[in-house]
PDB file of all heavy atoms in Angstrom:
ATOM      1  N   LEU J 267       3.109  10.043  -1.569  1.00 97.00           N
ATOM      2  CA  LEU J 267       4.494   9.749  -2.010  1.00 97.00           C
ATOM      3  C   LEU J 267       4.905  10.610  -3.144  1.00 97.00           C
ATOM      4  O   LEU J 267       6.034  11.135  -3.138  1.00 97.00           O
ATOM      5  CB  LEU J 267       4.568   8.227  -2.351  1.00 97.00           C
ATOM      6  CG  LEU J 267       4.763   7.186  -1.326  1.00 97.00           C
ATOM      7  CD1 LEU J 267       4.878   5.826  -2.008  1.00 97.00           C
ATOM      8  CD2 LEU J 267       5.970   7.510  -0.483  1.00 97.00           C
ATOM      9  N   LYS J 268       4.045  10.721  -4.124  1.00 97.00           N
ATOM     10  CA  LYS J 268       4.353  11.465  -5.373  1.00 97.00           C
ATOM     11  C   LYS J 268       4.682  12.937  -4.931  1.00 97.00           C
ATOM     12  O   LYS J 268       5.503  13.636  -5.566  1.00 97.00           O
ATOM     13  CB  LYS J 268       3.205  11.475  -6.287  1.00 97.00           C
ATOM     14  CG  LYS J 268       3.040  10.240  -7.059  1.00 97.00           C
ATOM     15  CD  LYS J 268       1.818  10.421  -8.063  1.00 97.00           C
ATOM     16  CE  LYS J 268       1.486   9.118  -8.688  1.00 97.00           C
ATOM     17  NZ  LYS J 268       0.291   9.272  -9.557  1.00 97.00           N
ATOM     18  N   SER J 269       3.988  13.458  -3.946  1.00 97.00           N
ATOM     19  CA  SER J 269       4.081  14.907  -3.635  1.00 97.00           C
ATOM     20  C   SER J 269       5.324  15.163  -2.790  1.00 97.00           C
ATOM     21  O   SER J 269       5.633  16.373  -2.516  1.00 97.00           O
ATOM     22  CB  SER J 269       2.875  15.338  -2.899  1.00 97.00           C
ATOM     23  OG  SER J 269       2.811  14.826  -1.528  1.00 97.00           O
ATOM     24  N   LEU J 270       6.047  14.178  -2.337  1.00 98.00           N
ATOM     25  CA  LEU J 270       7.252  14.360  -1.472  1.00 98.00           C
ATOM     26  C   LEU J 270       8.327  15.075  -2.353  1.00 98.00           C
ATOM     27  O   LEU J 270       8.581  14.712  -3.485  1.00 98.00           O
ATOM     28  CB  LEU J 270       7.794  13.096  -0.945  1.00 98.00           C
ATOM     29  CG  LEU J 270       6.955  12.347   0.015  1.00 98.00           C
ATOM     30  CD1 LEU J 270       7.655  11.095   0.486  1.00 98.00           C
ATOM     31  CD2 LEU J 270       6.620  13.250   1.215  1.00 98.00           C
ATOM     32  N   ASP J 271       8.908  16.099  -1.770  1.00 98.00           N
ATOM     33  CA  ASP J 271      10.074  16.695  -2.309  1.00 98.00           C
ATOM     34  C   ASP J 271      11.042  17.063  -1.202  1.00 98.00           C
ATOM     35  O   ASP J 271      10.616  16.874   0.027  1.00 98.00           O
ATOM     36  CB  ASP J 271       9.838  17.865  -3.223  1.00 98.00           C
ATOM     37  CG  ASP J 271       9.187  19.049  -2.549  1.00 98.00           C
ATOM     38  OD1 ASP J 271       9.350  19.239  -1.346  1.00 98.00           O
ATOM     39  OD2 ASP J 271       8.563  19.860  -3.280  1.00 98.00           O
ATOM     40  N   HIS J 272      12.203  17.599  -1.463  1.00 98.00           N
ATOM     41  CA  HIS J 272      13.159  17.904  -0.367  1.00 98.00           C
ATOM     42  C   HIS J 272      12.568  18.797   0.620  1.00 98.00           C
ATOM     43  O   HIS J 272      12.702  18.574   1.830  1.00 98.00           O
ATOM     44  CB  HIS J 272      14.448  18.423  -1.045  1.00 98.00           C
ATOM     45  CG  HIS J 272      15.533  18.605  -0.057  1.00 98.00           C
ATOM     46  ND1 HIS J 272      16.479  17.642   0.194  1.00 98.00           N
ATOM     47  CD2 HIS J 272      15.830  19.632   0.767  1.00 98.00           C
ATOM     48  CE1 HIS J 272      17.328  18.056   1.102  1.00 98.00           C
ATOM     49  NE2 HIS J 272      16.936  19.250   1.508  1.00 98.00           N
ATOM     50  N   ASP J 273      11.921  19.887   0.199  1.00 98.00           N
ATOM     51  CA  ASP J 273      11.449  20.873   1.091  1.00 98.00           C
ATOM     52  C   ASP J 273      10.285  20.283   2.026  1.00 98.00           C
ATOM     53  O   ASP J 273      10.276  20.636   3.193  1.00 98.00           O
ATOM     54  CB  ASP J 273      10.935  22.103   0.356  1.00 98.00           C
ATOM     55  CG  ASP J 273      12.041  22.869  -0.280  1.00 98.00           C
ATOM     56  OD1 ASP J 273      13.211  22.749   0.140  1.00 98.00           O
ATOM     57  OD2 ASP J 273      11.751  23.583  -1.258  1.00 98.00           O
ATOM     58  N   VAL J 274       9.409  19.537   1.418  1.00 98.00           N
ATOM     59  CA  VAL J 274       8.344  18.920   2.165  1.00 98.00           C
ATOM     60  C   VAL J 274       8.892  18.043   3.315  1.00 98.00           C
ATOM     61  O   VAL J 274       8.515  18.070   4.471  1.00 98.00           O
ATOM     62  CB  VAL J 274       7.364  18.168   1.275  1.00 98.00           C
ATOM     63  CG1 VAL J 274       6.390  17.277   2.101  1.00 98.00           C
ATOM     64  CG2 VAL J 274       6.587  19.099   0.368  1.00 98.00           C
ATOM     65  N   ILE J 275       9.840  17.221   2.937  1.00 98.00           N
ATOM     66  CA  ILE J 275      10.465  16.295   3.914  1.00 98.00           C
ATOM     67  C   ILE J 275      11.258  17.051   4.966  1.00 98.00           C
ATOM     68  O   ILE J 275      11.113  16.828   6.154  1.00 98.00           O
ATOM     69  CB  ILE J 275      11.352  15.206   3.246  1.00 98.00           C
ATOM     70  CG1 ILE J 275      10.523  14.281   2.341  1.00 98.00           C
ATOM     71  CG2 ILE J 275      12.101  14.400   4.257  1.00 98.00           C
ATOM     72  CD1 ILE J 275      11.303  13.374   1.489  1.00 98.00           C
ATOM     73  N   LYS J 276      12.016  18.046   4.517  1.00 97.00           N
ATOM     74  CA  LYS J 276      12.816  18.851   5.474  1.00 97.00           C
ATOM     75  C   LYS J 276      11.944  19.513   6.477  1.00 97.00           C
ATOM     76  O   LYS J 276      12.225  19.576   7.676  1.00 97.00           O
ATOM     77  CB  LYS J 276      13.652  19.869   4.740  1.00 97.00           C
ATOM     78  CG  LYS J 276      14.632  20.629   5.557  1.00 97.00           C
ATOM     79  CD  LYS J 276      15.737  19.721   6.027  1.00 97.00           C
ATOM     80  CE  LYS J 276      16.818  20.526   6.704  1.00 97.00           C
ATOM     81  NZ  LYS J 276      17.887  19.629   7.177  1.00 97.00           N
ATOM     82  N   ILE J 288      17.783  12.860   3.204  1.00 98.00           N
ATOM     83  CA  ILE J 288      16.520  13.212   2.544  1.00 98.00           C
ATOM     84  C   ILE J 288      16.563  12.837   1.043  1.00 98.00           C
ATOM     85  O   ILE J 288      15.614  12.306   0.504  1.00 98.00           O
ATOM     86  CB  ILE J 288      16.243  14.739   2.760  1.00 98.00           C
ATOM     87  CG1 ILE J 288      15.872  14.996   4.223  1.00 98.00           C
ATOM     88  CG2 ILE J 288      15.091  15.193   1.810  1.00 98.00           C
ATOM     89  CD1 ILE J 288      15.805  16.430   4.563  1.00 98.00           C
ATOM     90  N   LEU J 292      14.196  10.302  -1.219  1.00 98.00           N
ATOM     91  CA  LEU J 292      13.561  10.663  -2.546  1.00 98.00           C
ATOM     92  C   LEU J 292      13.950   9.633  -3.582  1.00 98.00           C
ATOM     93  O   LEU J 292      13.124   9.301  -4.469  1.00 98.00           O
ATOM     94  CB  LEU J 292      13.919  12.142  -2.895  1.00 98.00           C
ATOM     95  CG  LEU J 292      13.278  13.148  -2.028  1.00 98.00           C
ATOM     96  CD1 LEU J 292      13.881  14.522  -2.323  1.00 98.00           C
ATOM     97  CD2 LEU J 292      11.776  13.173  -2.219  1.00 98.00           C
ATOM     98  N   ARG J 295      11.781   6.767  -2.955  1.00 98.00           N
ATOM     99  CA  ARG J 295      10.413   7.112  -3.412  1.00 98.00           C
ATOM    100  C   ARG J 295      10.272   6.853  -4.923  1.00 98.00           C
ATOM    101  O   ARG J 295       9.315   6.245  -5.413  1.00 98.00           O
ATOM    102  CB  ARG J 295      10.113   8.572  -3.049  1.00 98.00           C
ATOM    103  CG  ARG J 295       8.761   9.070  -3.396  1.00 98.00           C
ATOM    104  CD  ARG J 295       8.521   9.670  -4.790  1.00 98.00           C
ATOM    105  NE  ARG J 295       9.571  10.447  -5.348  1.00 98.00           N
ATOM    106  CZ  ARG J 295       9.683  11.776  -5.285  1.00 98.00           C
ATOM    107  NH1 ARG J 295       8.807  12.502  -4.700  1.00 98.00           N
ATOM    108  NH2 ARG J 295      10.735  12.360  -5.849  1.00 98.00           N
TER     109      ARG J 295
END
Side-chain angles (χ1 to χ4, degrees):
L267 277 182
K268 284 181 191 177
S269 72
L270 294 180
D271 65 25
H272 187 91
D273 292 338
V274 167
I275 296 172
K276 186 71 172 178
I288 291 171
L292 292 170
R295 184 270 324 263

